[in-house]
Amino acid sequence: MAADAKEQRGELPVVLQSLRGDRGVGDVADWVRERLAAWASA
């Protein structure tokens, strides 16, 4: 999965997150929501 992401995104950032458990999912979702809100208001 990481190799596929690098091939598609090049040097752009990539987040690999397991969604099978609860650990960290909320943090990633909050981060995405914050970035989307900032992008939408720009």
Side-chain angles (χ1 to χ4, degrees):
M1 189 178 342
D4 292 338
K6 180 159 182 60
E7 181 179 329
Q8 292 296 315
R9 305 226 357 122
E11 295 302 317
L12 295 173
V14 174
V15 174
L16 301 175
Q17 171 67 45
S18 172
L19 299 177
R20 295 186 77 182
D22 292 335
R23 185 175 172 189
V25 173
D27 295 332
V28 172
D30 291 343
W31 180 85
V32 170
R33 286 186 192 106
E34 289 172 10
R35 297 302 171 274
L36 287 173
W39 176 75
S41 67

